[in-house]
């Protein structure tokens, strides 16, 4: 049961990592998901702009916590995994 | 600073040679009394010979003797005054250590030690402030009075609600009864005790527990059928509970995410979402009973089809009243988004319940 909890935590962590790793200029701008593309006058936020907002918010907000949690998990997996 | 440090070490050494029996027994918890006693100490020190009163002067700084050696300490006077309250404690503690060196750490006197008292008080204060902070944060995220409302159920409500989930087609009015609060202006809905349409958390909780037990029983039965003669593993209960819990959390978070993405601005309460995603367990329990009791695949599929239809109807009808709250026709795309959201949630519930049955 403990391993299941750890699995869930690691799955969540990997998912958040995968969102946070998306690069603004190198990747998101190329497929048109950059924040700079849609600074027009559209008042009605679309689903795409919401997702872009969410990705950038994840990157800004979770950068330092992710560094800490990732290093803890790496240490844990090195020692006990 | 170095001189001052030396002085604090010199001071108790002068006390060794002066017999002061009344200071030895300070078995009091009261900080005020200790302050009084430290005050007594000071007055006593003033009656001491010249050498000691000079030290007193330098330490407390109240009596300024025009001594060139003392002048350099006057800059530190403020520091000394600031720490003045602690000096009484320090003196007493050092004396206690002189006379009872071991009991301070191991003996009965440990609890009566002023330093321990100070530590206790500090710890208590820290704990209280910490508990206060935790309470505030909990109240911000989990409104406990709102949570209590979800468990305010009666027997008749539970029976009627289960009947409503299983046979929702004949029900007429799905609107929740409520009134507008005069002070805050927010809508306050009636508790489940008075309103059949209000979501509760009692039925989801109990049906979750029932589902866990039924699932364990059904795996036990299937183990017996396959003649592997596996022993019943009690850990199965814990694993199933954990899986169910994480499934519910993920489901509710997913609903919230979709609400955000589709810019559904309705103030959807968190507990409402948990409650509505928990009602699917009633149908699942019925299907599991049929599956394990009658052992007929055809009947199981039939019951599952009916139950999922009923669940979808129930979800659409009851969630409509807290997702489509504003009746303004101006935001037409908003309304379409919300209806899409409702259909999506109903289908998602049906699919999830299929995975829980199998």
């Amino acid at each position: 049961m403990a391993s299941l909890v750890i699995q869930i935590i690691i799955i969540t962590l990997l998912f958040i990592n995968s969102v946070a790793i998306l690069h603004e200029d190198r990747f998101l701008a190329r497929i048109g998901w950059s924040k700079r593309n849609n600074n027009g006058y559209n008042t009605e936020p679309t689903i795409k702009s919401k997702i872009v907002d969410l990705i950038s918010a994840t990157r800004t907000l979770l950068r330092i916590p992710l560094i800490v949690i990732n290093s803890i998990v790496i240490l844990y997996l090195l020692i006990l995994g | 600073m170095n001189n001052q440090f030396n002085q604090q070490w010199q001071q108790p050494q002068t006390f060794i040679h002066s017999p002061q029996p009344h200071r030895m027994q300070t078995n009091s918890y009261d900080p005020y009394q200790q302050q009084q006693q430290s005050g007594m100490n000071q007055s006593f020190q003033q009656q001491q010979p010249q050498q000691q009163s000079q030290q007193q002067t330098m330490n407390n700084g109240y009596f300024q003797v025009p001594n060139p050696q003392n002048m350099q300490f006057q800059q530190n006077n403020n520091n000394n005054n600031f720490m003045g309250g602690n000096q009484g404690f320090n003196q007493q503690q050092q004396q206690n250590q002189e006379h009872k060196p071991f009991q301070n750490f191991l003996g009965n006197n440990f609890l009566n030690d002023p330093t321990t008292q100070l530590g206790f008080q500090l710890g208590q204060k820290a704990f209280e402030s910490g508990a206060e902070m935790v309470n505030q944060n909990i109240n911000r995220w989990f409104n406990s009075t709102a949570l209590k409302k979800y468990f305010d159920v009666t027997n008749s409500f539970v029976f009627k609600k289960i009947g409503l989930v299983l046979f929702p087609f004949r029900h007429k009015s799905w609107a929740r009864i409520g009134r507008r609060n005069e002070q805050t202006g927010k809508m306050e809905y009636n508790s489940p005790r008075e309103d059949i349409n209000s979501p509760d958390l009692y039925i989801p909780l109990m049906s979750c527990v029932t589902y866990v037990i039924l699932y364990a029983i059904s795996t036990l039965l299937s183990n017996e059928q396959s003649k592997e003669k596996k022993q019943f593993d009690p850990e199965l209960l814990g694993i199933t509970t954990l899986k169910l819990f994480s499934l519910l959390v993920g489901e509710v978070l997913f609903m919230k995410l979709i609400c955000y993405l589709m810019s559904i601005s309705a103030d959807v309460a968190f507990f409402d979402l948990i409650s509505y995603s928990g009602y699917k367990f009633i149908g699942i329990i019925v299907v599991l009973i049929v599956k394990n009791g009658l052992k007929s695949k055809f009947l199981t599929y039939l019951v599952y089809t009916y139950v999922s239809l009923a669940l979808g109807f129930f979800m659409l009808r009851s969630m409509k009243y807290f997702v489509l709250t504003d009746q303004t026709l101006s935001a037409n795309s908003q309304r379409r988004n919300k209806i899409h959201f409702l259909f999506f949630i109903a289908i998602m519930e049906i699919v999830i319940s299929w995975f829980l049955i199998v």
Side-chain angles (χ1 to χ4, degrees):
Chain A
M1 203 162 92
S3 68
L4 195 69
V5 176
I6 291 168
Q7 262 182 343
I8 290 172
I9 290 173
I10 286 180
I11 287 169
T12 318
L13 184 70
L14 285 177
F15 185 73
I16 297 172
N17 271 333
S18 71
V19 174
I21 207 171
L22 299 174
H23 199 275
E24 178 92 38
D25 298 328
R26 288 182 196 156
F27 178 68
L28 289 178
R30 284 192 188 175
I31 59 171
W33 281 38
S34 175
K35 252 190 143 177
R36 290 156 214 162
N37 281 0
N38 52 359
N39 47 5
Y41 296 101
N42 53 346
T43 51
E44 181 111 358
T46 58
I47 292 177
K48 196 180 95 175
S49 70
K50 289 260 184 179
I51 293 176
V52 170
D53 278 352
L54 200 66
I55 289 172
S56 74
T58 310
R59 207 181 316 116
T60 1
L61 192 71
L62 289 178
R63 175 167 293 164
I64 294 164
L66 269 182
I67 292 171
V68 176
I69 297 169
N70 273 326
S71 40
I72 289 172
V73 169
I74 287 170
L75 276 181
Y76 168 79
L77 286 181
L78 275 180
I79 295 168
L80 295 173
Chain B
M1 286 304 283
N2 201 10
N3 277 332
Q4 188 192 354
F5 188 69
N6 280 337
Q7 206 157 26
Q8 278 188 348
W9 278 102
Q10 280 170 11
Q11 202 169 11
Q13 283 176 2
T14 58
F15 285 148
I16 297 174
H17 308 294
S18 60
Q20 291 149 353
H22 66 280
R23 282 194 222 163
M24 284 165 53
Q25 282 133 21
T26 56
N27 296 333
S28 64
Y29 285 86
D30 194 2
Y32 291 108
Q33 203 178 344
Q34 282 166 358
Q35 274 182 359
Q36 274 181 0
Q37 280 180 351
S38 72
M40 276 169 55
N41 286 345
Q42 285 177 357
S43 64
F44 194 75
Q45 284 158 10
Q46 285 167 18
Q47 295 164 4
Q48 293 290 315
Q50 178 68 26
Q51 179 201 4
Q52 197 180 339
S53 74
Q54 211 175 8
Q55 285 174 353
Q56 172 73 22
T57 307
M58 292 199 284
N59 243 358
N60 276 338
Y62 293 127
F63 317 101
Q64 294 178 355
V65 183
N67 192 345
Q69 203 184 357
N70 281 343
M71 292 299 280
Q72 55 184 336
F73 293 112
Q74 291 199 358
Q75 290 173 347
N76 294 327
N77 273 348
N78 283 331
N79 279 339
N80 278 336
N81 284 340
F82 185 68
M83 299 292 288
N86 281 340
Q87 274 184 1
F89 281 115
N90 282 338
Q91 287 168 7
Q92 277 186 342
Q93 187 200 359
Q94 281 161 355
Q95 277 182 355
N96 276 339
Q97 280 178 353
E98 283 155 16
H99 294 290
K100 305 170 179 175
F102 296 112
Q103 284 190 354
N104 265 337
F105 296 98
L106 296 172
N108 295 331
N109 210 16
F110 173 69
L111 285 176
N112 298 330
D113 193 5
T115 322
T116 320
Q117 288 304 311
L118 200 67
F120 272 148
Q121 282 172 9
L122 275 178
Q124 216 168 16
K125 242 179 209 171
F127 180 75
E128 277 170 5
S129 62
E132 200 175 324
M133 221 170 69
V134 166
N135 270 337
Q136 276 177 355
N137 280 330
I138 282 179
N139 277 336
R140 205 172 55 186
W141 293 106
F142 287 106
N143 196 350
S144 60
T145 52
L147 187 58
K148 273 175 196 160
K149 212 175 108 181
Y150 284 92
F151 287 96
D152 185 18
V153 294
T154 56
N155 282 338
S156 65
F157 169 80
V158 173
F159 283 124
K160 274 185 196 166
K161 192 79 176 181
I162 290 174
L164 185 60
V165 174
L166 291 179
F167 309 103
F169 303 108
R170 298 288 301 276
H171 196 60
K172 284 289 180 291
S173 71
W174 292 85
R176 289 177 65 181
I177 305 166
R179 59 190 153 71
R180 202 164 284 277
N181 194 351
E182 313 232 326
Q183 278 120 25
T184 57
K186 274 186 183 174
M187 210 48 187
E188 275 189 348
Y189 291 112
N190 281 351
S191 65
R193 186 178 283 275
E194 297 145 346
D195 185 10
I196 179 73
N197 290 324
S198 129
D200 70 317
L201 281 176
Y202 175 78
I203 293 173
L205 182 69
M206 288 301 146
S207 49
C208 269
V209 175
T210 316
Y211 170 77
V212 170
I213 295 169
L214 261 181
Y215 181 78
I217 289 174
S218 76
T219 43
L220 189 66
L221 286 179
S222 65
N223 278 350
E224 271 186 6
Q225 253 184 357
S226 63
K227 299 201 171 140
E228 289 175 14
K229 286 296 166 198
K230 264 195 211 163
Q231 287 294 314
F232 173 67
D233 194 5
E235 212 183 25
L236 185 69
L237 296 172
I239 288 175
T240 318
T241 314
L242 196 65
K243 275 181 185 169
L244 219 57
F245 185 71
S246 50
L247 181 81
L248 274 181
V249 169
E251 207 175 309
V252 170
L253 284 182
F254 192 64
M255 281 188 201
K256 274 280 181 192
L257 182 72
I258 288 177
C259 275
Y260 166 76
L261 288 182
M262 288 185 137
S263 55
I264 290 169
S265 57
D267 194 15
V268 183
F270 214 65
F271 292 132
D272 281 359
L273 286 180
I274 296 175
S275 157
Y276 280 119
S277 62
Y279 280 135
K280 65 172 172 290
F281 287 109
I282 299 173
I284 291 172
I285 287 167
V286 172
V287 177
L288 270 184
I289 289 173
V290 169
K291 187 184 168 195
N292 291 304
L294 301 178
K295 300 200 190 295
S296 144
K297 271 201 168 166
F298 174 71
L299 266 182
T300 309
Y301 288 139
L302 197 70
V303 171
Y304 170 71
T305 316
Y306 172 74
V307 158
S308 53
L309 275 179
L311 181 73
F313 191 79
F314 172 79
M315 295 286 287
L316 282 180
R317 273 309 173 97
S318 53
M319 282 181 86
K320 187 185 158 194
Y321 278 93
F322 80 97
V323 174
L324 299 174
T325 42
D326 47 347
Q327 298 298 325
T328 51
L329 292 172
S330 60
N332 211 354
S333 66
Q334 180 88 0
R335 192 178 165 81
R336 210 178 54 222
N337 266 353
K338 283 177 178 178
I339 290 171
H340 285 172
F341 169 71
L342 282 183
F343 270 100
F344 180 77
I345 282 180
I347 291 168
M348 189 180 79
E349 293 291 321
I350 290 168
V351 172
I352 285 176
S353 60
W354 170 253
F355 280 110
L356 285 175
I357 287 164
V358 172

